[in-house]
Amino acid sequence: MESMKMKLFAAVVVMLMAVAAVSNVAAQEAPAPAPGPASAASVYVPAALISLISLSFGLLF
């Protein structure tokens, strides 16, 4: 059981690193104009995703 949890944890860490790398490359491709003050919603989506992942790990362990 512990081995399965460690494999799941490693898979999630690798997935998060891959998502961060892809978003970093996508952000560097074309310089975009400065966002308006109403576009702060894009910040909340990754924060919500990380919160859900951390809650799921809390339930698993």
Side-chain angles (χ1 to χ4, degrees), residues 34-58:
S39 66
S42 64
V43 176
Y44 298 123
V45 174
L49 181 65
I50 297 298
S51 297
L52 289 175
I53 290 172
S54 63
L55 285 173
S56 66
F57 273 114

Side-chain angles (χ1 to χ4, degrees), residues 3-57:
S3 173
M4 185 178 73
K5 288 181 183 179
M6 285 301 293
K7 287 181 183 179
L8 178 65
F9 179 72
V12 170
V13 168
V14 169
M15 180 190 69
L16 288 175
M17 290 175 60
V19 168
V22 168
S23 65
N24 191 15
V25 169
Q28 291 178 355
E29 284 183 5
S39 66
S42 64
V43 176
Y44 298 123
V45 174
L49 181 65
I50 297 298
S51 297
L52 289 175
I53 290 172
S54 63
L55 285 173
S56 66
F57 273 114

